[in-house]
Amino acid sequence: MPKRELIVRAIITQDDCLLVNEGTHHQTSQHYYALPGGHVEDGETCIAALQRELQEELAIECDVEDLCFVMEHLYSGRRENDAPRHELTLYFKATATSAIQQTDEKVISPESTKNFRWLPIDSLGEAALLPEISREVLQKYFSHQQISNYAFQDSTSENSN
């Protein structure tokens, strides 16, 4: 089993929309969405890591609020020659305390590889959100339904829980 990576993600909303990064899967060329955030570095707290990632990706300051849920995901990797990945992702509610820079529909990022945008929450059911299980959990979260604090998905096999 690959080494587990610790990831933090932010649930940031505005006007009934969720902030997401739109990307393209290197193996399948399919478009997908992911919430802002990234890896927790050695010696860094999860909250400090999320604040750092949001500063790097969006040039914003934020208040990191509640831990909403945790997802564990096994998958084959993003690129053709990648080794299998094992991610443990903590999803936090976060509120920007500085302005998110944007023009019309586009959210501006200092990182040229990022393509942030606002995704209407009512379109989550059709959105290609990764990991896939996060779509279902986020839909329940936003409709105030009971959610499990932990979800697991194994995308390396036929069996996903």
Side-chain angles (χ1 to χ4, degrees):
M1 181 167 285
K3 179 182 175 188
R4 184 175 29 245
E5 302 170 59
L6 182 58
I7 312 287
V8 288
R9 298 276 177 212
I11 300 171
I12 299 174
T13 58
Q14 177 178 295
D15 300 327
D16 295 320
C17 292
L18 177 65
L19 185 60
V20 295
N21 179 52
E22 185 175 8
T24 303
H25 194 286
H26 294 283
Q27 291 179 359
T28 65
S29 297
Q30 292 180 330
H31 291 282
Y32 69 88
Y33 300 108
L35 300 187
H39 287 82
V40 177
E41 296 176 0
D42 289 340
E44 188 175 42
T45 68
C46 294
I47 289 174
L50 189 52
Q51 290 170 326
R52 173 186 50 76
E53 287 286 349
L54 293 173
Q55 179 60 241
E56 291 172 0
E57 293 180 352
L58 293 157
I60 62 168
E61 302 295 323
C62 71
D63 285 336
V64 178
E65 301 163 18
D66 293 331
L67 173 63
C68 300
F69 47 88
V70 177
M71 292 192 183
E72 190 166 7
H73 186 211
L74 301 172
Y75 64 101
S76 59
R78 292 184 184 95
R79 293 175 178 78
E80 189 174 336
N81 296 324
D82 278 358
R85 307 277 297 263
H86 182 183
E87 294 181 348
L88 184 66
T89 306
L90 310 179
Y91 288 79
F92 289 91
K93 174 76 176 129
T95 302
T97 57
S98 61
I100 296 174
Q101 300 299 310
Q102 54 192 49
T103 57
D104 297 324
E105 302 283 320
K106 182 160 175 58
V107 175
I108 299 168
S109 173
E111 295 186 4
S112 62
T113 59
K114 300 296 183 188
N115 186 25
F116 285 102
R117 69 185 211 88
W118 294 104
L119 180 69
I121 291 170
D122 63 7
S123 70
L124 279 174
E126 299 83 44
L129 206 58
L130 292 181
E132 291 174 17
I133 195 169
S134 66
R135 178 179 56 220
E136 177 184 335
V137 175
L138 283 166
Q139 281 182 285
K140 288 181 179 180
Y141 171 81
F142 286 116
S143 63
H144 306 287
Q145 295 178 30
Q146 181 70 30
I147 60 171
S148 172
N149 293 330
Y150 170 82
F152 175 79
Q153 182 176 359
D154 183 352
S155 299
T156 63
S157 68
E158 298 284 324
N159 300 326
S160 292
N161 297 333

